[in-house]
Each structure stands twice: as structure tokens, then as C-alpha cells.
């Protein structure tokens, strides 16, 4: 019983750093000496805001469709075939999980801008940048690996007997797929679509930077309402609308995830078919090759563009941008130098990792191992932060922590707390996934051999969960390093992070400096990526 | 040596209800829980081990109430139905786990682990990982891991179910030997009645979450109290007949039942002796190694008899149409 007291830590943390801010937003948006719908009405009757709400949903839908179009063929290939270089392509697909979106946005600017690589290659501006097209493509970049992962993992578990029975009954080709295979894949397609949809619905950096002034999401709208117009009432009303919608979406997502998990429990594991040499040089090999190349170009080209740009100064190879980034005189934009920004990013990153892993580990353990009263409510309460957005959180923090007793605005750790709230649902997912795989009776076996609860945990469950914990920690790190919106709203000049600095350079249209700094970000992310690869835990 | 006792236990799991009025394994006794799948054997073991808290009632070791003592304080050894080997530890590490927790010196641990490995016939496999072992080998590691700590109470949940007949019989003997040698009070779960008969001091037959009967193997076998127990422990003959003046007549057979009205008379096939005569018609037969199983019909009641071939008053080549029958022992259910 006493061990369960440890739950009060994550609960208190969530109440203060998630629920309190959310309540303060609701209060701000719905209260004026009494309940009022004035601000909600103001938002909904304004055609600009209404347009943004529709655009947010519309672009999320379109991005999801594009993501599916790109991801489903990959899912098929990965589930069905074994081919040379498969593990390499698989590894490449992990890259978007750890690459900061600001850097990807910069890469897109460098590829599709007026002087961009693709623009030069084709000879004319495709009009992709600063339009909805860039937003869709960047969203697909982030999400299609999720579709590949979830759907192919399910595809491999479809018992071949079903298809064989159907074939023996006369189904074949597309009929077979539509009548037998597709229905069994639906949970995976649906769950990964929902996840993509929510990501795009709450997306901030990508529309902010790639959407230009015409295409904004609710998230960007809240941000400008508060940071530029200083209109907290309208900002809160928008946030309330966004929260309501995203909670609905999240509810659907969680339901779909249940279905997915159930379907995935099927333990039949189909070995992917090893392609023969003849097939490899045939049509199948060609299609697989084309897909791999597309994946490769799609994921790697923004990164290469950034790297290349950082090394070109006035048309020649040079390290000048790096020199400038590190020297004080060319650093007028942010009130700290690059070294401090790196230090800040690492400090926030590691602190967020520590905190979010602790919070997530306790919650995950409680969810999977303990029975207690109100567990259902507990589960819902700890999942809700997944549906909140960085900007909403930032807004809530500004409203909640600007006065005693919780006057935390302006400290560095308020940024860490925000990062923790943003990251921990993902850590929770990673840890839950491994904990679910550890049979509860392993702990019981340890207890029967004389281990105390904590010994059983340390010696048996922790080592088995370690892979998932590391992957979760890296997610948290990657998210903290990449976080822009909430950090921007909460930081003081001395707490500038690399991501903020890149954004500042971008706003000032100093691409070279932005690229050089982004490369530093890329190196940090690459280290994360390699650790994930080393751990080898199935994050995908 | 400790005794293990359950008193007035009630445990409700969903719509399953386990209710044990009283069950006691005496010091050093080998008690088997026998029953069909889903009758609550594993649940009973888990209550004794302390993994499940009973909703009501007490678990006593040597008369001390153990309800509040956690599993690690009970000095038990347990073999789980699905082994529960630690996947991240080698065979050696798995077996040494309990000894390490007891802070034995390294050398001693090594000695004991190697000795037990030999006993279960897994020498040379100590550096393998569970996933590199066959199902039967895993089961033996699980057994070794529970035995090596020399617990006071050994709880075995179908520890031999995955082994082939030969190893199964050998290990059955080994378990029994170690158990006797160290006088470990043992509670053994199986749904194999032959295994239960071979190994147990006493057997508790379970059905739908309750204990039907507890007794010595032969007592349970020949004097079952209920039809369920009778049928569960092998082939049985149960005749439902009308009694008059405390007796039942069937052909030339006469049963003393001591009451009137409908009765159920039970006897095993090997209690049916074949004599010269003609009131029991032979309706079928089946040859077994050295034995014969005869299906006989007496006034429309079918019974089974099982005899060694040389006991028959006729040759099987010229089997008569009907024979006489003698039933040496029977019970009224
Ligand atoms: N956590 C639970 N919730 C609900 N019902 C349960 C739970 N655990 C077990 N049961 C039910 O309790 C009954 C007894 O289960 P138990 O595992 O004790 O059976 P068993 O006798 O060991 O069977 P087997 O020989 O198949 O191992 C079963 O009907 C099972 O479905
Ligand atoms: Mg069982």
C-alpha cells in the first residue's frame, strides 16, 4: 500500500503543471464577472478565425490522406518482403522521430524557395513554399513512418490461414485484399491515421514557418493573438475551441488504439518473404527500389539541403557561417551566445528527460501492475495531456504562474516543466509498450524466490523494460530540443535554446546562420537516432 | 517442516467463485490438487503463495495466519504453469536468483546450481537463455529454480505437463525423492489423474471452485464420494437402480445397499470378475497390452470389466456370447 503513495508525485505534478493552467485558460475565455460566451462567439463569428478553424481541420485531413498514400505502400513492402538494404531503409524511417521540425522547415525553404534546389532543378517556382502544399508535404514527412510502422506490424500478424481459406473459396487478387486482408488491417490504418491527424491538427512550427501569412492553424492563431496582439481573451477562446476538438479527436484515437492493440495481440508472425535474385531484378524489385529511393530523397534531402547551405558562403565552400554563429559580433538577434544556447538546450533536454521518464515510469507501472480505486479516472487524467498543444500550455502557464504563490515565470525550470508535460505522454507510450510485454508472473516468480517488491522491480522488470525506457527518454529529449512554441512564450533571453535561435535567424531571413545552427541541432538529433538504433527496441 | 492450511477461503474473480471450507497439507506431506481445467487449482496455489488475497478466510502456515505476509516472506518455492523464467537471465542466473537474494557465498551458489542442474538433467546448458531452450527444458529450469532454494513449502503448478512420458516419470520420481528427503510440504497441481495417483500422499479433487473430496489415492479411487470424483479418476461403472429391503438385484448379482429407493452403485472395471455363467452378455471388447476390456450387458445395464488375459475362464479366440460376473467391491454414491 505504501508503495502506491509514490503515485502522488505524478498526480501532483500533473495537477499543478497541466490542469491548473488549462483551468486558468477556461476561466480566461469563459469568465467575465460570471460565465460568458462572448469571446467564443467573437471568435466563431469572425470570418478570419472561422477560416482558420476550417483550414486547420482541412489541412489535417489532407495531410493524413497524403501520409497514407505514402505510408501504405511502404507498409505492404515491409510486411511482405525481405530485401537487401531493408534494415537501412527501416533505420532511415526512424529519422523523422528525432529531427526537429524547425530544421525540416528550414530544409524545405532551402529546397523549394526561389533559389531552392528543386526550384533550380525544375527551372520554375512550383509555388510550394508559403502555401498549403508545403504544410502537407512536411506533415507527411513526419507521419508516414508511423503509418508504415503500425500497419506493417499488423500486416505481419494476419494469420495466413485466413487468406488461404478465402483463396480456397475462390477469392483472389483485389477481391481477396478488399474482403479479407483490408478489414483486418483497418485498425492499424485507422489508429495511425488518427495519430497523424492529431499531429497535424496541433502542428505549430511547420505552418508557422512554411505556411506564410495566409495559411495558419489554430495553434498559430492562438500564438499570434497572444504574442503579437496581446489579446488573451481571444487567445483563450481559441484555445478552448482547440482543446475541445482535440480531446474529441484524442478520444477517438485512444479507442482506435485499443482496437489496434487487440488486433496486434494476434501472435502469428509471418516471416517476410525473401526475394530471390530474379524477383529483385524484376518488377517487384523495381517497385521496392523506387519506393526506397523516394523514402530516401524525401527524408534525407531536407537534411542535406541544410547541411549544404551551412557550408556555402557567398557561393564558395566555407565555414564562415559557423564562425559567425559562434562569434559575438554577428549575434545581434538573441540575448545570449550560441554556446549558451547549446548549454540551455542540453540542460532543458536532460532535465525534461529525467522528469518525464520518472513521471511516465510511475504512471505506466501503476496502469499495468496495480489495481486501485478510481483507476479508470486516473487513466483518463494522465492521457489528457496528449491532446493539449504546446501553445495552449504556454498560454496557460503565462496565466497561471505570473503571480504568487506560484510565481515561476522567468525561471528556467518552468520551461522544463512545459517540456515534460509535452513529452511525457510519448514516454508513457514507449514504456507502456514494453511493460505490457513483460508477463506479470515474472515479478511473482521473483517474489516467490524471496525478492522484495523493489528487488523484483530492480532485478527483473527494470532490466526488461530498459529498452523502452531508453527509447522513451530519447523521444523526450528530441521533443524538448525541438520544442519551439511553448519555449518561445516562456523564455527569457538568457534561456534561449538552439531551436529558438534558429527561429530567430529564420525570422530575420539569415538562412546561412540558421543552417549552421540547425546542423548543430542535427548532430544532437543524430546522436539520439544512433542510440535508438543501438537499443534496437521496436519503436517501429 | 510446516503445515499449510486453508480455512473458510472465498475468492471471487469475475464470475468465478472459489470456495474452500478447509484444506490442510500436513508437515512434509505431498498433497495434490486434481481437477479439470478452470476449476480453480492455479487460483488456490496463488492464494497459498500470497499472490492473490482471499476475499475471506485464512491461510495458515503451521497455524500462523499468513494473510498479511507477502510472498517473499513465506519461504515458498513455486513453479508457474507457464514457467515464468526471467528472459534476460541465463539458466544459471535464473536458478541462482533466489540464492543470491539469500546472500549465499558465490562458491556455494555455484555448487548448488550445478548440482540441481544435474538433477534435472540439464548439465551444460547453464549459459543458455530461456528462449534457447525447448519447452520441456524450460520447465525443468523452472523446477530447478524453485527446488534450489530448499523452500519449506513447494508449490508446483503442472510442472511436468510439457515433458515426454519418460522424463516425466523420472522427474516425478526426483521431485518425490527431494520432497521426501527435505520433507518439503508440497502442493502439486495437475489434471493428470495417473500422475496424481503415482506421486501423492493425498489428493484433493476440485470441481467448479470447490473441493469435492480429499483422501489417500486409493481411497479416492475406490471410494469416491461423488459421481464427479468417480468419473474423473478413470473408468467407472455407475449403476442407477431401485433398491428393495436394502438390497439391489441385477441378474444373479446382489448388492447390499442398506436403503430403499433409487441408488447409485459404483465400482471400478477391475473389481468386476468374470466367471463361468450366462447372465451377462458380451457386447464388445477391446484388447489392451496383456489385458482385456469387456463391455457387458446385464438386463439392459452396461458395465465395463477389465481383466488380465490369463484370468479369463475362456480363450479369446472362442469367446462365449455371455458370461457370469462377480463384483468384489463396490460403493454407494
Ligand atoms: N483475473 C481473473 N478474472 C476473472 N476470472 C479469472 C481470473 N483469473 C482466473 N479466472 C477464472 O477463474 C477460474 C479458475 O482459474 P484457474 O487458473 O485457477 O484454473 P485452473 O484450475 O488452474 O485451470 P487450468 O487447469 O486450465 O490451469 C477460471 O474459470 C478462470 O477463467
Ligand atoms: Mg492452472
Amino acid at each position: 500500500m505504501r508503495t502506491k503513495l509514490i503515485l502522488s508525485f505524478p498526480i501532483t505534478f500533473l495537477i499543478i503543471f497541466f490542469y491548473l493552467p488549462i483551468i486558468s485558460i477556461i476561466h480566461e475565455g469563459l469568465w467575465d464577472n460570471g460565465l460568458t460566451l462572448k469571446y467564443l462567439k467573437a471568435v466563431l463569428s469572425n470570418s478570419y478565425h472561422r477560416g482558420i478553424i476550417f483550414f486547420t481541420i482541412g489541412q489535417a485531413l489532407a495531410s493524413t490522406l497524403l501520409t497514407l498514400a505514402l505510408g501504405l505502400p511502404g507498409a505492404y513492402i515491409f510486411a511482405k518482403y525481405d530485401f537487401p538494404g531493408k534494415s537501412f531503409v527501416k533505420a532511415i524511417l526512424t529519422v523523422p522521430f528525432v529531427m526537429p521540425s524547425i530544421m525540416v522547415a528550414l530544409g524545405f525553404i532551402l529546397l523549394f524557395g526561389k533559389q531552392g534546389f528543386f526550384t533550380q532543378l525544375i527551372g520554375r517556382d512550383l509555388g510550394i513554399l508559403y502555401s498549403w502544399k508545403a504544410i502537407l508535404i512536411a506533415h507527411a514527412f513526419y507521419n508516414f513512418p508511423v503509418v508504415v510502422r503500425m500497419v506493417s506490424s499488423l500486416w505481419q500478424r494476419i494469420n495466413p490461414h485466413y487468406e488461404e481459406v478465402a483463396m480456397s473459396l475462390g477469392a483472389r487478387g483485389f477481391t481477396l485484399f478488399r474482403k479479407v486482408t483490408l478489414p483486418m488491417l483497418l485498425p492499424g490504418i485507422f489508429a495511425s491515421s488518427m495519430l497523424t491527424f492529431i499531429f497535424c491538427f496541433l502542428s505549430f512550427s511547420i505552418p508557422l514557418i512554411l505556411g506564410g501569412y495566409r495559411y495558419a492553424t489554430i495553434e498559430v492563431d492562438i500564438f499570434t493573438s497572444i504574442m503579437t496582439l496581446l489579446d488573451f481573451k481571444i487567445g483563450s477562446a481559441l484555445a478552448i475551441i482547440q482543446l475541445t476538438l482535440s480531446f474529441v479527436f484524442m478520444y477517438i484515437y485512444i479507442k482506435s488504439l485499443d482496437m489496434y492493440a487487440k488486433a496486434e495481440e494476434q501472435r502469428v508472425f509471418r516471416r517476410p518473404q525473401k526475394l530471390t535474385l530474379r524477383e529483385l531484378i524484376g518488377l517487384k524489385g523495381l517497385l521496392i527500389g523506387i519506393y526506397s529511393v523516394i523514402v530516401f530523397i524525401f527524408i534525407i534531402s531536407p537534411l542535406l539541403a541544410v547541411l549544404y547551405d551551412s557550408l556555402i558562403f557567398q557561393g564558395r565552400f566555407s565555414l564562415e557561417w559557423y564562425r559567425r554563429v559562434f562569434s559575438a559580433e554577428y549575434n545581434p538577434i538573441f540575448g545570449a551566445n550560441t554556446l549558451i544556447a547549446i548549454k540551455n538546450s542540453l540542460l532543458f533536454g536532460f532535465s525534461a528527460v529525467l522528469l518525464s521518464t520518472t513521471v511516465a515510469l510511475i504512471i505506466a507501472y501503476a496502469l499495468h501492475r496495480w489495481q486501485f480505486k478510481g483507476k479508470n479516472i486516473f487513466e483518463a487524467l494522465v492521457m489528457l495531456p496528449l491532446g493539449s498543444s504546446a501553445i495552449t500550455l504556454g498560454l496557460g502557464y503565462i496565466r497561471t504562474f505570473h503571480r504568487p504563490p506560484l510565481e515561476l515565470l522567468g525561471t528556467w525550470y518552468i520551461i522544463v516543466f512545459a517540456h515534460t508535460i509535452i513529452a511525457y505522454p510519448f514516454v508513457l507510450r514507449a514504456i507502456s509498450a514494453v511493460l505490457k510485454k513483460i508477463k506479470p508472473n515474472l515479478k511473482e516468480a521473483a517474489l516467490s524466490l524471496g525478492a522484495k517488491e523493489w528487488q523484483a522491480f530492480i532485478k527483473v522488470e527494470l532490466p526488461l523494460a530498459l529498452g523502452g525506457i531508453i527509447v522513451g527518454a530519447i523521444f523526450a529529449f528530441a521533443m524538448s530540443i525541438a520544442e519551439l512554441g511553448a519555449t518561445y512564450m516562456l523564455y527569457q533571453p538568457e534561456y534561449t535554446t538552439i531551436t529558438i535561435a534558429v527561429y530567430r535567424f529564420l525570422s530575420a531571413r539569415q538562412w546561412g546562420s540558421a543552417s549552421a545552427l540547425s546542423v548543430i541541432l542535427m548532430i544532437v538529433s543524430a546522436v539520439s537516432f544512433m542510440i535508438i538504433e543501438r537499443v534496437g527496441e521496436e519503436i517501429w | 517442516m510446516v503445515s499449510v492450511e486453508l480455512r473458510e477461503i472465498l475468492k471471487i474473480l469475475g464470475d468465478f467463485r472459489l470456495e474452500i471450507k478447509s484444506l490442510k497439507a500436513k508437515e512434509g506431506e505431498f498433497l495434490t490438487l486434481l481437477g479439470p481445467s478452470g476449476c480453480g487449482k492455479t487460483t488456490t496455489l496463488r492464494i497459498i503463495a500470497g499472490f492473490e488475497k482471499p476475499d475471506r478466510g485464512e491461510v495458515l502456515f503451521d497455524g500462523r495466519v499468513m494473510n498479511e505476509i507477502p510472498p517473499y516472506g513465506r519461504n515458498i518455492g513455486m513453479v508457474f504453469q507457464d514457467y515464468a523464467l526471467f528472459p534476460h537471465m541465463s539458466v544459471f542466473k535464473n536458478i541462482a536468483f533466489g540464492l543470491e537474494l539469500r546472500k549465499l557465498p558465490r562458491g556455494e551458489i555455484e555448487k548448488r546450481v550445478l548440482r540441481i542442474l544435474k538433477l534435472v538433467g540439464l548439465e551444460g546448458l547453464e549459459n543458455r537463455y530461456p528462449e534457447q531452450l525447448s519447452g520441456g527444458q524450460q520447465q525443468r529450469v523452472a523446477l530447478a529454480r524453485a527446488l534450489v532454494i530448499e523452500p519449506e513449502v513447494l508449490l508446483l503448478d503442472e510442472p511436468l505437463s510439457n515433458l515426454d512420458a519418460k522424463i516425466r516419470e523420472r522427474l516425478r520420481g526426483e521431485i518425490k525423492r527431494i520432497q521426501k528427503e527435505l520433507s518439503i510440504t508440497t502442493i502439486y497441481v495437475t489434471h493428470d489423474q495417473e500422475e496424481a495417483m503415482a506421486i501423492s500422499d493425498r489428493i484433493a479433487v476440485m470441481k467448479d471452485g470447490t473441493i469435492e473430496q480429499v483422501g489417500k489415492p486409493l481411497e479416492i479411487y475406490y471410494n469416491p464420494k461423488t459421481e464427479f470424483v468417480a468419473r474423473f479418476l478413470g473408468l467407472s461403472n455407475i449403476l442407477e437402480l431401485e433398491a428393495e429391503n436394502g438390497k439391489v438385484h441385477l441378474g444373479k448379482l446382489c448388492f447390499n445397499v442398506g436403503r430403499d429407493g433409487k441408488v447409485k452403485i459404483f465400482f471400478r472395471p477391475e473389481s468386476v470378475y468374470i466367471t463361468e455363467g450366462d447372465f451377462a452378455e458380451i457386447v464388445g471388447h477391446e484388447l489392451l497390452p496383456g489385458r482385456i476390456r469387456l463391455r457387458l450387458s446385464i438386463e439392459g445395464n452396461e458395465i465395463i470389466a477389465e481383466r488380465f488375459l490369463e484370468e479369463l475362464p475362456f480363450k479369446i479366440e472362442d469367446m462365449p456370447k455371455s458370461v457370469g460376473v462377480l463384483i468384489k467391491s463396490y460403493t454407494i454414491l
Side-chain angles (χ1 to χ4, degrees), chain B residues 281-312:
Chain B
E281 187 191 345
I282 299 181
V283 291
H285 74 277
E286 209 172 286
L287 280 174
L288 304 169
R291 285 169 299 148
I292 188 165
R293 189 176 290 161
L294 291 163
R295 285 198 312 167
L296 307 165
S297 173
I298 309 172
E299 293 176 0
N301 293 285
E302 209 164 279
I303 62 171
I304 302 170
E306 214 173 290
R307 302 266 39 112
F308 288 110
L309 290 177
E310 64 263 30
E311 288 177 283
L312 294 178

Side-chain angles (χ1 to χ4, degrees), chain A residues 441-442 444 448-449 451 459, chain B residues 46 51 72 76 82 88 102:
Chain A
N441 67 9
L442 289 183
E444 292 176 349
S448 81
L449 292 166
K459 290 191 172 219
Chain B
R46 291 171 57 80
F51 298 132
Y72 51 80
I76 50 171
D82 60 353
H88 59 306
R102 285 166 176 72

Side-chain angles (χ1 to χ4, degrees), chain B residues 77-94:
Chain B
M78 178 153 178
V79 174
F80 289 74
Q81 200 165 2
D82 60 353
Y83 329 137
L85 297 182
F86 305 128
H88 59 306
M89 296 182 196
S90 64
V91 167
F92 184 93
K93 275 277 174 197
N94 259 285

Side-chain angles (χ1 to χ4, degrees), chain B residues 41-42 81 157-158 189:
Chain B
K41 305 179 296 286
T42 299
Q81 200 165 2
D157 198 347
E158 309 204 20
V189 164

Side-chain angles (χ1 to χ4, degrees), chain B residues 31-213:
Chain B
L31 177 74
T32 295
L33 301 180
L34 179 66
S37 184
C39 68
K41 305 179 296 286
T42 299
T43 309
T44 309
L45 269 203
R46 291 171 57 80
I47 288 174
I48 296 171
F51 298 132
E52 304 274 2
K53 279 213 185 323
D55 299 333
R56 198 187 66 205
E58 289 170 335
V59 180
L60 304 126
F61 283 17
D62 259 352
R64 276 171 298 133
V65 179
M66 301 301 276
N67 289 33
E68 293 309 314
I69 311 277
Y72 51 80
R74 297 190 182 195
N75 200 7
I76 50 171
M78 178 153 178
V79 174
F80 289 74
Q81 200 165 2
D82 60 353
Y83 329 137
L85 297 182
F86 305 128
H88 59 306
M89 296 182 196
S90 64
V91 167
F92 184 93
K93 275 277 174 197
N94 259 285
I95 300 176
F97 188 86
L99 299 174
E100 279 169 3
L101 284 166
R102 285 166 176 72
K103 304 227 160 32
L104 264 64
R106 272 247 61 92
E108 177 68 19
I109 292 180
E110 199 154 309
K111 213 174 76 199
R112 288 207 200 178
V113 172
L114 294 180
R115 195 171 60 204
I116 201 86
L117 269 173
K118 189 158 173 210
L119 189 91
V120 296
L122 292 177
E123 308 108 302
L125 296 189
E126 55 267 27
N127 292 325
R128 296 261 194 104
Y129 280 82
E131 58 181 18
Q132 301 168 317
L133 300 175
S134 73
Q137 288 169 331
Q138 290 181 18
Q139 203 157 33
R140 283 182 275 165
V141 175
L143 186 61
R145 187 177 67 178
L147 283 174
V148 78
I149 56 171
E150 299 181 0
E152 286 184 318
V153 177
L154 190 57
L155 305 171
L156 305 171
D157 198 347
E158 309 204 20
L160 306 177
S161 60
N162 252 339
L163 304 175
D164 66 53
K166 239 178 159 165
I167 311 183
R168 193 181 173 114
E169 261 170 50
R170 187 174 74 74
L171 277 183
R172 182 158 97 186
E174 289 294 349
I175 293 176
K176 183 79 185 173
R177 191 180 61 71
I178 297 168
Q179 181 264 340
K180 273 267 140 356
E181 219 164 78
L182 304 170
S183 321
I184 310 172
T185 310
T186 300
I187 300 174
Y188 188 93
V189 164
T190 182
H191 53 231
D192 178 340
Q193 24 101 8
E194 212 177 291
E195 190 170 290
M197 303 281 289
I199 197 172
S200 318
D201 294 328
R202 282 190 312 148
I203 297 174
V205 181
M206 293 186 70
K207 179 198 174 193
D208 298 341
T210 55
I211 300 218
E212 287 270 304
Q213 188 176 357

